[in-house]
Amino acid sequence: MPSDMVRVIYRKYDGSAHRDYPARRLTEDDLGIWLGVPEGTQSVYHGRPSVEKIPFVLLVPHRAWWTAMFNPPPRTSEVYCDIATPARWESDDTVHLIDLDLDVVRRRATGLVELLDEDEFAEHRARFGYPEDVVAEAEAAAQRLFGALGDGTEPFATAYRKWLALVV
């Protein structure tokens, strides 16, 4: 039986720390593994201790180049997707991801979908030497998510709400 708690570790392509936090395994379905992070969770952000002020649910999809964070108000982003390498699971209780800078976000108030951090992606692509296949996968994932967040594709429409209700 999988562990109830999962350590989520994001690093940058050069191996430097990005995010690290514990999450509660909520369920696994055909979309991936749903993890809940309640308010007050102790975390690490860019190598510095932090505390999550707003709860969220993270979807770690099976074999996809992204993760999705679903947020309640007052966070301005309803859905925040990190473009990342496919998840690498170390047993059932630790997941490793490499953040590839690009983010696709849907704003709560307007429904506007935005692609963020293209400049950081270009800078890190040059500095860290992203291989062309990684660049192609990252850009394709961002393009797919941009459409999915805007057109009501699940899990970005309503599927996440039942899991978010468990951590709010």
Side-chain angles (χ1 to χ4, degrees), residues 30-77:
D30 61 323
L31 297 168
I33 297 174
W34 295 85
L35 305 171
V37 179
E39 179 181 353
T41 297
Q42 300 289 320
S43 63
V44 176
Y45 187 64
H46 291 290
R48 295 193 168 115
S50 182
V51 176
E52 298 299 331
K53 293 181 177 25
I54 300 173
F56 63 91
V57 167
L58 181 74
L59 173 60
V60 179
H62 303 295
R63 298 169 300 283
W65 285 74
W66 55 269
T67 59
M69 186 168 54
F70 300 94
N71 305 302
R75 191 161 275 157
T76 60
S77 60

